[in-house]
Amino acid sequence: MIEKPLHIETAQLIIRHLTLSDLSDFIIYRSNPEVTKYQGFDVMTMEQAEYFIKDNSSKYFGKAGEWVQYGIENRTTGKLIGDCAIKLDEYDPRIAEIGITISHLEQKKGYAKEVLLGILSFLFDEIKIHRVVEIVDAENIASINLLKSIGFRQEGHFIENIFFKGKWGSEFQYAMLKREWDDKK
């Protein structure tokens, strides 16, 4: 698969590479413990956020086994409202894993669903990915409901499989196949 910059436009949002000009918006939610509660990362300092954006700037969609983080920009305001990540499977790049983080200031506005649908359309319709997976904390009810509302199937329940932020946590694995996506259209 060819490595290239990613640019996805939805009705209200643009999914694109993070830049240092996003730093002030990025740190607002990435430094909030409520936002990072169910994420695989912890709160960030300004220095950590800057390093993260700089480090991520050399990564492009298409390199199997590598997470690439993308900014989610509100098309009207031009502000960063969150970020999302895509990783193609290291051994089979026809399989992708995804994740989404929306700023606490922008939650409950339908943005996560719009981002998820935009990413799925890109992966299934343009790239022809076979399967998309999302791993979610078993306590993250909002994300679980979002995945179910789009048609993801729960495939696994991993009980106390991850030592996470000082305690054992459980996770669910959800997935969707391209044919399931096509059937929903």
Side-chain angles (χ1 to χ4, degrees):
M1 194 155 301
I2 296 170
E3 295 177 35
K4 61 180 182 176
L6 183 117
H7 186 91
I8 300 170
E9 293 195 23
T10 66
Q12 303 175 88
L13 307 169
I14 299 171
I15 301 164
R16 47 125 178 111
H17 276 264
L18 288 164
T19 66
L20 280 178
S21 64
D22 295 319
L23 185 58
S24 60
D25 293 332
F26 185 78
I27 194 65
I28 287 171
Y29 64 89
R30 282 292 190 118
S31 64
N32 183 323
E34 277 305 303
V35 172
T36 64
K37 183 177 184 178
Y38 299 119
Q39 301 287 6
F41 53 84
D42 214 338
V43 296
M44 289 183 168
T45 65
M46 183 66 82
E47 294 76 22
Q48 290 168 326
E50 184 175 348
Y51 175 81
F52 180 88
I53 291 172
K54 284 179 180 175
D55 181 58
N56 197 71
S57 68
S58 64
K59 299 175 183 178
Y60 292 95
F61 176 81
K63 184 174 181 186
E66 182 174 74
W67 280 106
V68 184
Q69 212 78 24
Y70 302 100
I72 304 167
E73 177 185 319
N74 181 307
R75 289 173 71 147
T76 304
T77 65
K79 293 280 192 187
L80 188 76
I81 63 153
D83 57 82
C84 57
I86 303 171
K87 178 181 80 166
L88 299 179
D89 187 85
E90 181 178 1
Y91 302 104
D92 191 341
R94 296 169 298 180
I95 300 170
E97 186 174 348
I98 59 175
I100 299 171
T101 304
I102 301 292
S103 169
H104 56 290
L105 303 173
E106 302 292 345
Q107 292 177 1
K108 300 183 186 328
K109 296 180 181 178
Y111 293 142
K113 188 169 193 170
E114 187 171 332
V115 168
L116 188 50
L117 290 170
I119 291 171
L120 292 174
S121 179
F122 168 74
L123 291 173
F124 286 134
D125 299 335
E126 291 182 43
I127 306 299
K128 307 299 185 203
I129 291 288
H130 172 69
R131 171 182 167 84
V132 175
V133 176
E134 183 156 343
I135 307 294
V136 61
D137 189 293
E139 295 177 6
N140 191 344
I141 303 305
S143 289
I144 291 166
N145 289 338
L146 170 64
L147 293 169
K148 288 179 178 178
S149 78
I150 291 176
F152 274 76
R153 284 175 288 94
Q154 181 183 326
E155 293 186 328
H157 183 185
F158 308 108
I159 300 168
E160 294 185 11
N161 67 312
I162 185 169
F163 194 76
F164 182 68
K165 299 183 182 176
K167 65 180 180 121
W168 285 102
S170 299
E171 296 175 310
F172 291 123
Q173 177 173 301
Y174 282 84
M176 182 183 288
L177 299 172
K178 180 173 184 345
R179 65 179 159 78
E180 293 168 322
W181 171 258
D182 290 342
D183 288 346
K184 297 184 90 36
K185 289 195 241 178

